[in-house]
Amino acid sequence: MDIDITGWLRENLVRLRTLEPDGTAHRELEPLRDIVGDARVVAIGESTHRVHEFYRLRHLVTRFLAEEMGFTGFAMESGFPEGWAVHDWVLGGDGDLDPLLHTGITYHMGKCAEMRDQLVWMREHNRTHDRKIRFYGMDLPDSSASALPGVVAALAFLDEADPAYAAAARKDLLPLFGYLPADRTGLAWAAPAIHAYLALGAAHRHELTARIGELTERLRALRVPYSTVDADRADIALQCAVTARSADAFLAAMAAAPGRTYRGANVRDAAMAANVEWILDREERVVVGAANGHLQRWPYRVPPIINEEQVMLGQHLARSLGDRMVVIATTYDAGRVFSHRPLAGGPPGHTEVFYEDVAPFTEPGSLDVLLASAGQPLALLDLRKVPADGEVARCFAGVDGTRQGPYKQLVNPLEAFDAVVHIDRITPWQTFIEG
């Protein structure tokens, strides 16, 4: 006999009482063992960035998977070249964490107490355990605003491995980035950087592409002799250059968009997938943290903002990993979020911070609305338990999206995700951007 959807949700939702890293949280996450199984990648999503609860959840899940299930890598939606400084710090390297939170994690996603807490835990775990957990960025460099950090990282290795070529590249390639604005102090500094790229003449842009390509292919072609200098650093330098070339392609696609007569391509997510696959050559099991939309095994579309389907990171990884990837999404009902807007009369890229109250979502067919109906403040649902037929199946068949700010992101949650954590009320991250 069919049961009503609210009753089924209350029966199958696993209540989580805390997001604090203590023994209670570990015990409550035990259902993850069955959800994760032998997956090599567990992807933890967030339906919006800069939310305290989503950071804490990601931290807790990462701790559980490292301590209980042997995961040894954590990769996040942050620049691949920049992340190596953080990688070294969590393994016990010298230096002050505060600058790394500003420069080693891009998109400003490190500038909060929650990220600091996770990295401090990773360093302490590595100090006391033989099986380490390493940090990786997986995204385009410079908050997707330029290829420069990837080029600089590659040249730092070539200064030792191939100094004559490195000197030539510093002379011929680095000056091509002179267009980048000097002021990087604004919270939205990436916007004027991208606008400056789009204002370049075609010859300048094409020379950038050619010289970054030359750098990348030289690192590939000479990786055997370069490996005699330092095999690990040679591989990292090559992947930094590969990611720089992807960043250049991402920007070039923007420049080409006004005259495009063909379907666009999501270069950024393809690059992130390639970096995760590269990381999997170094780590047996990896936690991946990013927005729900990046991680879903489903094309990304958010009308009326994004109408053309985008191929996402999760789709690329599903193609290579199959059922050895598990995706855990997040949803929420209401709360308060961090935001910022252009500063009236201010310099380019400078914004004012404000906090915005968000009401419960009411869009029909939203997974957020469905899960909120159960009245649980914090709970985990294994979506694989949704029955194939009956009233509950019909109800889930009517769900065609999740909350994306004021819009509904179109997605089939049963195809895109394996599990979801619903949070009744969200609050802003504990930021120290001005600090």
Side-chain angles (χ1 to χ4, degrees):
M1 182 175 177
D2 289 343
I3 61 173
D4 71 276
I5 183 62
T6 303
W8 185 89
L9 287 172
R10 288 175 177 165
E11 181 180 329
N12 286 276
L13 281 165
V14 177
R15 174 92 181 265
L16 305 177
R17 290 173 176 79
T18 180
L19 290 174
E20 295 306 311
D22 58 20
T24 299
H26 253 42
R27 289 193 299 273
E28 291 179 344
L29 290 175
E30 278 295 322
L32 285 179
R33 290 188 189 275
D34 180 58
I35 294 170
V36 171
D38 65 353
R40 292 194 65 196
V41 167
V42 171
I44 308 170
E46 50 188 25
S47 54
T48 187
H49 291 312
R50 303 183 179 96
V51 168
H52 169 76
E53 289 77 13
F54 296 157
Y55 271 89
R56 297 300 286 175
L57 175 68
R58 188 174 67 191
H59 180 178
L60 284 179
V61 172
T62 301
R63 287 181 69 153
F64 180 86
L65 294 176
E67 294 174 348
E68 304 291 335
M69 300 192 71
F71 279 67
T72 58
F74 171 76
M76 68 176 286
E77 185 182 342
S78 178
F80 179 86
E82 294 93 337
W84 289 98
V86 183
H87 171 277
D88 293 344
W89 189 87
V90 300
L91 289 175
D94 295 334
D96 185 354
L97 177 57
D98 282 355
L100 287 181
L101 289 165
H102 285 71
T103 62
I105 299 176
T106 60
Y107 303 103
H108 303 288
M109 289 184 186
K111 298 178 179 179
C112 62
E114 294 87 352
M115 194 74 243
R116 186 208 299 269
D117 289 347
Q118 181 173 343
L119 295 181
V120 168
W121 169 79
M122 291 175 73
R123 183 178 170 102
E124 180 61 20
H125 174 91
N126 290 335
R127 187 184 68 82
T128 56
H129 291 74
D130 292 334
R131 188 175 62 213
K132 312 300 183 187
I133 180 165
R134 285 164 283 272
F135 177 95
Y136 299 92
M138 63 176 180
D139 210 337
L140 301 181
D142 220 14
S143 301
S144 298
S146 88
L148 181 59
V151 170
V152 169
L155 290 178
F157 170 73
L158 292 174
D159 285 336
E160 179 181 352
D162 194 347
Y165 176 76
R170 288 183 181 280
K171 172 179 170 291
D172 297 329
L173 173 53
L174 287 186
L176 295 174
F177 290 100
Y179 71 89
L180 288 169
D183 182 6
R184 295 172 64 95
T185 59
L187 190 55
W189 65 263
I194 292 172
H195 292 154
Y197 173 87
L198 296 176
L200 294 175
H204 191 142
R205 289 188 280 104
H206 293 164
E207 185 175 0
L208 261 174
T209 298
R211 291 194 181 278
I212 294 171
E214 177 190 40
L215 169 70
T216 305
E217 292 309 317
R218 184 176 180 86
L219 280 158
R220 193 190 313 277
L222 294 176
R223 67 191 306 179
V224 173
Y226 287 167
S227 293
T228 64
V229 176
D230 187 317
D232 190 48
R233 288 175 57 214
D235 285 344
I236 293 169
L238 172 56
Q239 197 62 23
C240 285
V242 168
T243 308
R245 186 160 65 177
S246 294
D248 178 74
F250 172 79
L251 294 167
M254 285 190 190
R260 195 176 70 215
T261 58
Y262 45 86
R263 178 183 177 182
N266 184 359
V267 174
R268 182 184 170 200
D269 278 67
M272 285 197 283
N275 282 333
V276 171
E277 289 166 349
W278 183 90
I279 292 165
L280 285 170
D281 285 339
R282 303 165 66 92
E283 309 289 350
E284 183 58 32
R285 309 187 84 181
V286 177
V287 182
V288 174
N292 285 348
H294 288 300
L295 300 176
Q296 64 192 36
R297 294 184 297 258
W298 192 264
Y300 184 78
R301 191 158 69 93
V302 189
I305 306 302
I306 300 174
N307 294 304
E308 187 176 68
E309 287 189 346
Q310 305 291 308
V311 181
M312 306 309 291
L313 162 65
Q315 293 175 271
H316 289 287
L317 292 180
R319 181 176 180 272
S320 60
L321 291 169
D323 60 7
R324 300 204 71 187
M325 176 181 72
V326 165
V327 183
I328 303 170
T330 53
T331 58
Y332 68 99
D333 186 35
R336 190 168 174 82
V337 296
F338 170 99
S339 192
H340 60 111
R341 56 195 163 212
L343 188 63
H350 286 259
T351 58
E352 63 173 344
V353 168
F354 67 100
Y355 296 90
E356 182 179 10
D357 292 320
V358 290
F361 204 46
T362 58
E363 188 74 25
S366 166
L367 182 63
D368 305 69
V369 172
L370 177 63
L371 296 179
S373 70
Q376 293 284 4
L378 176 63
L380 166 71
L381 178 64
D382 184 347
L383 292 170
R384 301 169 307 173
K385 292 184 176 180
V386 175
D389 50 38
E391 180 184 347
V392 172
R394 287 192 294 273
C395 184
F396 272 91
V399 174
D400 63 354
T402 60
R403 183 175 194 165
Q404 175 87 41
Y407 305 103
K408 184 166 72 172
Q409 172 187 320
L410 300 182
V411 65
N412 179 338
L414 300 186
E415 295 289 337
F417 311 124
D418 298 285
V420 59
V421 173
H422 182 75
I423 298 171
D424 182 37
R425 292 290 185 272
I426 60 172
T427 57
W429 64 348
Q430 297 167 11
T431 177
F432 48 79
I433 281 179
E434 283 82 22

